[in-house]
Amino acid sequence: MAVRPVRIYGDPVLRQKAKDVTSFDDSLRALVADLFDTMKAYNGVGLAANQVGVAQRVFVVEVPIEGGGSERIVAVNPTLDARTGRESGEEGCLSMPGLYEDITRATALRLRALDAHGQPFERHVEGFLARAIQHEADHLEGVLFTDRVSPLKQQFLRRQLDALARGEVPEGYHPGTGEGRSG
Ligand code: NI
C-alpha cells in the first residue's frame, strides 16, 4: 500500500474517459488500497483512479456518518441512475487545490457497481455521500466539478485554472490539504 501522487488540473489523464475494469486481480486490489491511502493522506473524501494516473473505472469514497464512524465505498465499473432531488453544496477536488464552488447535484441516487473482487452490489445513497459519488463518477468520464459551474463563474475561475495547468500549485499544497470536502 502506498500514497500515489495526485494528478493536478492540466494533466490530460483527468480528461480521459476511463475504461472498464476487466480483471479483478491483485493489481486492482492494490490500486484500491492505494486510492484509500492517497485519499486519506490528502484528507479527501473520495478519489477516482484517473486522479492517480490510472484511466480505469474505479473510485473510492469515505465520508463521515452521523453518530461517528464513516461510510466506505469501493466502486468498480459504476453506473448511477434513479436520481432524485437537486441541491447545491460546496465541493472541492484534490486535483484542483484551492478551488471550492457550490455545485448542484441530485440529492439521492442509486449506485450499481462491482467491488474489488468483481461482486456486484447496489446502493441507494443520499446527501453528502450521494454528492461525493457523483463527483467521483464524473471524474471517470473526464468531467471536473468546475465544468458544472455557470459560464460566468468559469470565466472567474479561468485564471486559477490556467495557473494550475501551468504547474503553479498553491503555496503549501501538500497531503492533508483536502480539508475533508474534496474528492
Ligand atoms: Ni475531484
Side-chain angles (χ1 to χ4, degrees):
M1 300 207 296
V3 174
R4 302 192 192 187
V6 171
R7 302 300 181 90
I8 300 298
Y9 181 86
D11 188 317
V13 75
L14 295 172
R15 289 304 193 183
Q16 248 175 286
K17 204 167 145 51
K19 292 200 159 55
D20 272 339
V21 170
T22 52
S23 31
F24 293 80
D25 53 11
D26 286 348
S27 78
L28 173 64
R29 287 181 284 278
L31 170 65
V32 167
D34 287 358
L35 286 172
F36 275 115
D37 285 353
T38 305
M39 177 183 72
K40 280 182 186 178
Y42 282 77
N43 194 24
V45 292
L47 195 63
N50 45 354
Q51 290 182 277
V52 297
V54 179
Q56 292 187 14
R57 294 178 56 77
V58 182
F59 68 70
V60 301
V61 166
E62 183 163 5
V63 303
I65 50 176
E66 263 180 65
S70 63
E71 172 95 55
R72 272 165 78 103
I73 290 180
V74 175
V76 179
N77 301 346
T79 59
L80 312 187
D81 65 3
R83 291 174 173 83
T84 56
R86 286 181 78 68
E87 71 186 358
S88 181
E90 191 180 59
E91 293 182 25
C93 182
L94 295 179
S95 296
M96 303 162 90
L99 296 185
Y100 296 94
E101 293 295 333
D102 285 332
I103 306 294
T104 301
R105 305 266 190 196
T107 311
L109 58 92
R110 176 172 64 174
L111 164 68
R112 286 184 292 180
L114 306 174
D115 69 14
H117 298 274
Q119 294 302 308
F121 70 91
E122 179 177 317
R123 288 281 313 270
H124 291 267
V125 294
E126 57 181 39
F128 187 62
L129 180 57
R131 173 173 299 280
I133 285 169
Q134 289 170 90
H135 179 113
E136 299 316 325
D138 270 357
H139 272 300
L140 302 182
E141 303 299 323
V143 173
L144 299 169
F145 82 106
T146 48
D147 298 341
R148 296 193 176 278
V149 302
S150 70
L152 185 63
K153 199 71 173 246
Q154 283 194 25
Q155 279 184 27
F156 284 119
L157 292 175
R158 179 55 35 207
R159 218 148 60 118
Q160 281 169 280
L161 291 173
D162 288 348
L164 286 176
R166 285 194 304 269
E168 296 170 19
V169 170
E171 188 81 31
Y173 187 62
H174 57 80
T177 51
E179 299 176 35
R181 53 187 171 155
S182 301

